[in-house]
Amino acid sequence: MTLWNVTAPTVRIVGDKEVRGTQTWVVQAPRSVEAVRQVAARVAAEEAVRHRRGAAIDSTAFTTTRWRSPHGVLGPTAPHPQALRAGHGGPDQGADTSSSAPLTAGWRTIAA
């Protein structure tokens, strides 16, 4: 399995200004399209919405890239990216490796 960064653009209104950003998940999947399916199943989850501070997400503009460690592409014996974060005790957004979410027409992926 490969670890993927799946990123989607976000936008929220603060006062009268649009604040643009991104939300990124690290997920494990054999292919980028499967990684996008996993994220598509999670974008509306309470934790994901809270993480992006209620911003709307553009689920038609997902991009994917292979997750890279500071030493290059993550190999099968390298630690999971969450293990690199000292003191991180919460659940990982990328822990769910199910691929049951349907991929709707119009979704794009850009694989590395």
Side-chain angles (χ1 to χ4, degrees):
M1 289 279 192
T2 302
L3 284 177
W4 298 94
N5 287 325
V6 180
T7 302
T10 62
V11 64
R12 66 186 174 107
I13 305 299
V14 177
D16 60 346
K17 295 172 83 173
E18 280 189 358
V19 178
R20 297 193 174 273
T22 61
Q23 185 170 13
T24 301
W25 289 260
V26 177
V27 294
Q28 188 175 11
R31 300 176 319 167
S32 64
V33 68
E34 295 296 326
V36 170
R37 283 187 180 126
Q38 290 179 42
V39 170
R42 299 183 199 165
V43 297
E46 182 180 339
E47 183 178 333
V49 173
R50 184 177 58 247
H51 181 76
R52 65 180 178 263
R53 299 180 183 134
I57 198 160
D58 182 357
S59 60
T60 65
F62 285 125
T63 59
T64 59
T65 57
R66 287 183 186 263
W67 186 87
R68 290 184 172 269
S69 74
H71 306 290
V73 175
L74 182 67
T77 59
H80 187 279
Q82 290 298 322
L84 301 174
R85 295 165 89 184
H88 180 72
D92 175 23
Q93 284 185 335
D96 177 14
T97 59
S98 67
S99 60
S100 59
L103 187 61
T104 58
W107 291 38
R108 303 175 304 229
T109 62
I110 301 170

